[in-house]
């Protein structure tokens, strides 16, 4: 894969719909393992834009994080809680099908390395079938196996986390709006994705704050992290 497009960091997991990812491989320094690898496998994956793409049904392709991230990604829970601490210059995601899930190759560039270009995406896309075939053969031949995340609740999804966070207080639409806010979408973006007006989004936001006894988005993020991701 490095011969297709150069990169430095690699973190490979197997994604599932209803439980945490399995760890396959990483080249993260030992002193950074807790912040980069363990935290992602424990909970940060729930808000990863790549995981969101996977849940939408896409399990085959190459994409840059900035091409799939919400419009206010740097204000998102995922960025504030996790991503800004892992010191990546840029990230390329490769998804290939594996069993009922997908293998996720997170390929990183660090420091002063150039960001991935549109040509980098095209180069991986042109060879994605070969990457997928080699990945499948790798597991068929028993070279390695994912390290399962242990016993966890069967339904470990962001929706389930928000259900628990709202404690039955929020309506289905309010949970949808809260989910999009936590992922880093602006009111305009929430409006477009949920098919409602910006004014309605603002009403839902006010109702969410009132029902949860909070007054700002930062409190929403803090309360969610404290009750679910801590």
């Amino acid at each position: 894969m490095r011969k297709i497009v150069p990169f430095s960091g690699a973190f490979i997991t197997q994604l599932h719909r209803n439980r945490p990812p399995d760890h396959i491989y990483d080249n993260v320094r030992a002193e950074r393992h807790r912040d980069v690898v363990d935290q992602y496998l424990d909970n940060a994956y729930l808000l990863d834009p790549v995981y969101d793409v996977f849940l939408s049904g896409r399990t085959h392709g190459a994409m840059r994080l900035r091409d799939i991230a919400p419009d206010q990604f740097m204000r998102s829970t995922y960025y504030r809680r996790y991503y800004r601490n892992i010191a990546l210059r840029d990230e390329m995601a490769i998804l290939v099908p594996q069993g009922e899930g997908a293998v996720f190759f997170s390929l990183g560039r660090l420091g002063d390395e150039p960001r991935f270009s549109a040509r980098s995406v095209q180069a991986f896309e042109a060879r994605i079938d070969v990457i997928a075939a080699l990945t499948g053969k790798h597991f068929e031949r028993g070279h390695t196996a994912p390290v399962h995340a242990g016993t966890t609740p069967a339904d470990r999804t962001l929706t389930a986390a928000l259900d628990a966070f709202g404690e039955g207080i929020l309506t289905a639409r309010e949970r949808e709006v809260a989910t999009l806010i936590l992922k880093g979408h602006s009111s305009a973006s929430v409006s477009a994705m949920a098919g409602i007006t910006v004014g309605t989004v603002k009403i839902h936001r006010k109702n969410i704050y009132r029902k949860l006894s909070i007054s700002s988005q930062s409190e929403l993020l803090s309360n969610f992290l404290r009750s679910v991701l801590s």
Side-chain angles (χ1 to χ4, degrees), residues 149-221:
T151 58
T152 58
D155 189 7
R156 183 75 182 277
T157 65
L158 182 58
T159 301
L162 279 167
D163 285 344
F165 174 56
E167 296 182 348
I169 299 172
L170 303 181
T171 67
R173 179 63 92 178
E174 288 164 351
R175 288 197 301 273
E176 179 184 9
V177 171
T179 299
L180 293 171
I181 291 171
L182 287 166
K183 288 180 178 179
H185 291 276
S186 65
S187 292
S189 181
V190 172
S191 170
M193 296 191 70
I196 55 180
T197 67
V198 173
T200 301
V201 173
K202 292 179 179 179
I203 291 172
H204 283 311
R205 187 190 290 260
K206 288 181 180 179
N207 288 337
I208 291 166
Y209 291 177
R210 175 178 55 80
K211 290 181 177 181
L212 297 178
S213 299
I214 60 177
S215 59
S216 67
Q217 182 172 334
S218 62
E219 284 185 87
L220 176 66
L221 301 181

Side-chain angles (χ1 to χ4, degrees), residues 15-20 45-46 51-59 100-101 154-158:
L15 302 181
H16 308 279
R17 289 189 170 273
N18 296 315
R19 62 182 176 87
Y45 74 92
L46 287 166
Y51 187 65
D52 207 30
V53 168
F54 164 71
L55 292 179
S56 74
R58 185 176 178 186
T59 61
E100 297 181 357
D155 189 7
R156 183 75 182 277
T157 65
L158 182 58

Side-chain angles (χ1 to χ4, degrees), residues 80-120:
R80 292 179 175 183
R81 170 74 174 185
Y82 174 74
Y83 203 81
R84 69 179 176 184
N85 298 320
I86 65 175
L88 280 185
R89 166 73 169 166
D90 202 6
E91 180 181 5
M92 175 76 70
I94 311 292
L95 290 176
V96 297
Q98 180 65 29
E100 297 181 357
V103 172
F104 167 27
F105 296 85
S106 173
L107 310 178
R109 285 184 173 173
L110 313 173
D112 296 329
E113 295 178 325
R115 291 162 70 86
F116 291 108
S117 66
R119 286 188 176 183
S120 299

Side-chain angles (χ1 to χ4, degrees), residues 31-99:
E31 66 271 20
R32 298 279 295 148
H33 216 264
R34 173 57 196 163
D35 290 338
V36 177
V37 176
D38 295 345
Q39 188 174 350
Y40 185 85
L41 297 172
D42 287 346
N43 48 52
Y45 74 92
L46 287 166
L47 293 170
D48 184 354
V50 178
Y51 187 65
D52 207 30
V53 168
F54 164 71
L55 292 179
S56 74
R58 185 176 178 186
T59 61
H60 192 268
M63 63 209 79
R64 296 174 298 185
L65 180 65
R66 64 182 182 274
D67 293 332
I68 59 172
D71 59 344
Q72 293 189 353
F73 176 68
M74 293 182 70
R75 297 180 59 188
S76 69
T77 307
Y78 181 68
Y79 182 84
R80 292 179 175 183
R81 170 74 174 185
Y82 174 74
Y83 203 81
R84 69 179 176 184
N85 298 320
I86 65 175
L88 280 185
R89 166 73 169 166
D90 202 6
E91 180 181 5
M92 175 76 70
I94 311 292
L95 290 176
V96 297
Q98 180 65 29

